[in-house]
Amino acid sequence: MLAEIYLSVRRETFVWVDPGKFYREDFAAHTNGETVFVCTHENGSVAGFLSLWPADDFIHMLYISPEFQGQGAGTALLHALPEWPQHRYRLKCLVKNRRAKAFYLAHGFQVTGNGASPEGDYEELSFFPV
C-alpha cells in the first residue's frame, strides 16, 4: 500500500518529470534503512507515510494519498516524530512543489539552503525547536 501511495502521488505531483521514471519498486529502495511512520484514517485506510533517516534527523519523504490531503494526516505524521517539536529536523523540498513548501512553512520550517536533483531544484528546509 505504501509503495502504491508513493508511486501515484509522485506521478500526480511531479508533473514536470516523465512519469515513466517512477516505479513501485522505488519505495523499498528509497526507504531502505529509514524509519517509516504510517498514518491511518479512522476507517482503517492508510492515509500516508513519512520516512525518516534518523542518523541525520532528515525527513526523506512525506506522502499523503490525494483523498486524505488537507485533512491533517501530514500534521499527524510530523507530530509522530521523536521529540517533536523540541528537536531539529530538516528536509529537501522541490521548488516546483509549491503546495508541499507551503505546508512545511506553515508548520515552522525555514529555508536554510538549496540545490539541484534529478527531479529539479530543491530548497533545504529546517525545523528549529520551539
Side-chain angles (χ1 to χ4, degrees):
M1 181 49 134
L2 299 182
E4 187 57 41
I5 292 171
Y6 186 47
L7 177 63
S8 64
V9 172
R10 289 169 79 203
R11 285 182 173 168
E12 291 175 22
T13 304
F14 304 150
V15 295
W16 57 90
V17 178
D18 175 4
K21 293 186 176 190
F22 301 132
Y23 303 96
R24 186 171 284 103
E25 298 78 21
D26 291 344
F27 178 78
H30 295 171
T31 59
N32 186 31
E34 298 183 348
T35 302
V36 178
F37 299 82
V38 178
C39 180
T40 56
H41 187 267
E42 61 189 24
N43 69 11
S45 300
V46 174
F49 70 90
L50 179 152
S51 70
L52 176 71
W53 185 254
D56 290 331
D57 298 321
F58 183 76
I59 299 168
H60 184 209
M61 296 184 267
L62 195 162
Y63 284 79
I64 307 298
S65 290
E67 64 267 28
F68 296 110
Q69 291 179 7
Q71 298 180 32
T75 299
L77 286 164
L78 288 178
H79 290 185
L81 288 168
E83 301 178 49
W84 180 271
Q86 288 81 33
H87 195 77
R88 181 178 179 198
Y89 288 98
R90 64 186 187 84
L91 57 91
K92 294 176 182 174
C93 184
L94 293 172
V95 171
K96 291 183 179 180
N97 195 352
R98 290 183 176 92
R99 188 170 179 199
K101 182 179 175 184
F103 168 82
Y104 292 119
L105 293 177
H107 284 80
F109 284 81
Q110 299 172 22
V111 177
T112 53
N114 57 53
S117 76
E119 295 175 342
D121 292 343
Y122 66 83
E123 291 179 317
E124 183 172 309
L125 304 176
S126 297
F127 179 83
F128 297 98
V130 291

